[in-house]
Amino acid sequence: MATSSKTQEALALMALAMLVTNAAVAADDASPSCPRLTLHNLCPYPVWPLVTANAGYPSVAGTDSRLNGNGEGLVTMALPQGAWSGRVVARTGCADDGMSCDDNCSPQCKTGNTPPVTVAQVSVGGSGGLAEYSVSLVDGFNVPMVVTPCDFAAGAQCPTLGCAVDLTQDQECCPAAGAGARAPEGGCGAAGTEAALFKNRCPDTRTTSTDVEATPQNCIAPGELKVVFCPARDCPPSCN
């Protein structure tokens, strides 16, 4: 029996709907995955990095743990899809023996969760896929740190930025005495003239609220941002 025109029209609409659905699924499969944030500790001592989202952005799971030194401490986490902004604080001297609280509590750190410590600031998913990142010494320094983007498009300006110099070993930058000059665990405050000294030693950091790095960046859609503690001087971290 011949198929009616209404039945043919219905079948055509069903076929079109299936094509649209399949195309949407294919587009989702082809879309880029969530950007990754990797933390790697090359210091000869442990670091307890704390990753916190800025106001209005979702938190990231698995961001409060010990990273052993000498390259053993390595963790990679997926950032939320779309725009995200947050910071990585380099904490040291933490006690996480679990005696004073349950397994879900944060370790108690001699640096605390606030400066004077070295801080990486990261934003991804901006206009056109723009990613922005920096290492801030505005409130002090305790651990050498750089941010290296990986898996970005050819031609993008995605330099390694930060400070690979241990400023705590520089008596001019970090004097042993003086108000605000030395923080717990050997950190250096940024009071007085220290900010200018920090900038001189590490020009690709931010040392004031209006400061920018000496090396320009225009990084579009990197697949990964790698924060490295105590990187080798004059040898940018590898993306491998």
Side-chain angles (χ1 to χ4, degrees):
M1 183 170 62
T3 305
S4 68
S5 59
K6 289 186 176 181
T7 301
Q8 290 178 332
E9 182 179 353
L11 291 172
L13 290 173
M14 289 176 61
L16 179 60
M18 291 179 65
L19 286 173
V20 171
T21 300
N22 291 338
V25 171
D28 287 342
D29 291 341
S31 62
S33 60
C34 298
R36 304 180 305 280
L37 178 65
T38 295
L39 311 178
H40 195 192
N41 182 21
L42 302 183
C43 300
Y45 48 81
V47 173
W48 286 257
L50 179 64
V51 181
T52 55
N54 291 341
Y57 295 98
S59 60
V60 179
T63 59
D64 190 356
S65 60
R66 169 185 172 130
L67 294 183
N68 291 329
N70 299 311
E72 294 181 12
L74 175 67
V75 62
T76 297
M77 58 200 74
L79 296 177
Q81 191 74 50
W84 186 86
S85 181
R87 49 196 272 132
V88 181
V89 177
R91 300 179 302 176
T92 57
C94 303
D96 55 0
D97 56 14
M99 296 298 292
S100 59
C101 56
D102 60 34
D103 291 338
N104 295 320
C105 74
S106 298
Q108 301 301 307
C109 304
K110 292 183 180 180
T111 52
N113 295 337
T114 57
V117 287
T118 314
V119 177
Q121 299 172 325
V122 174
S123 296
V124 296
S127 177
L130 181 67
E132 296 180 282
Y133 52 96
S134 63
V135 170
S136 173
L137 307 182
V138 172
D139 295 299
F141 174 96
N142 69 328
V143 176
M145 182 194 300
V146 299
V147 182
T148 293
C150 300
D151 303 332
F152 51 85
Q157 287 182 295
C158 300
T160 293
L161 299 177
C163 183
V165 180
D166 187 355
L167 298 178
T168 65
Q169 303 303 308
D170 188 320
Q171 290 299 309
E172 186 178 11
C173 288
C174 194
R182 186 164 300 277
E185 284 296 297
C188 310
T193 61
E194 280 83 5
L197 294 171
F198 288 173
K199 189 66 176 182
N200 182 59
R201 303 293 193 276
C202 296
D204 279 328
T205 62
R206 299 188 178 186
T207 57
T208 69
S209 60
T210 58
D211 193 15
V212 295
E213 300 82 13
T215 303
Q217 62 173 298
N218 185 25
C219 194
I220 304 299
E224 179 182 28
L225 289 173
K226 180 178 289 187
V227 177
V228 180
F229 307 102
C230 299
R233 294 183 62 176
D234 305 320
C235 183
S238 170
C239 286
N240 296 330

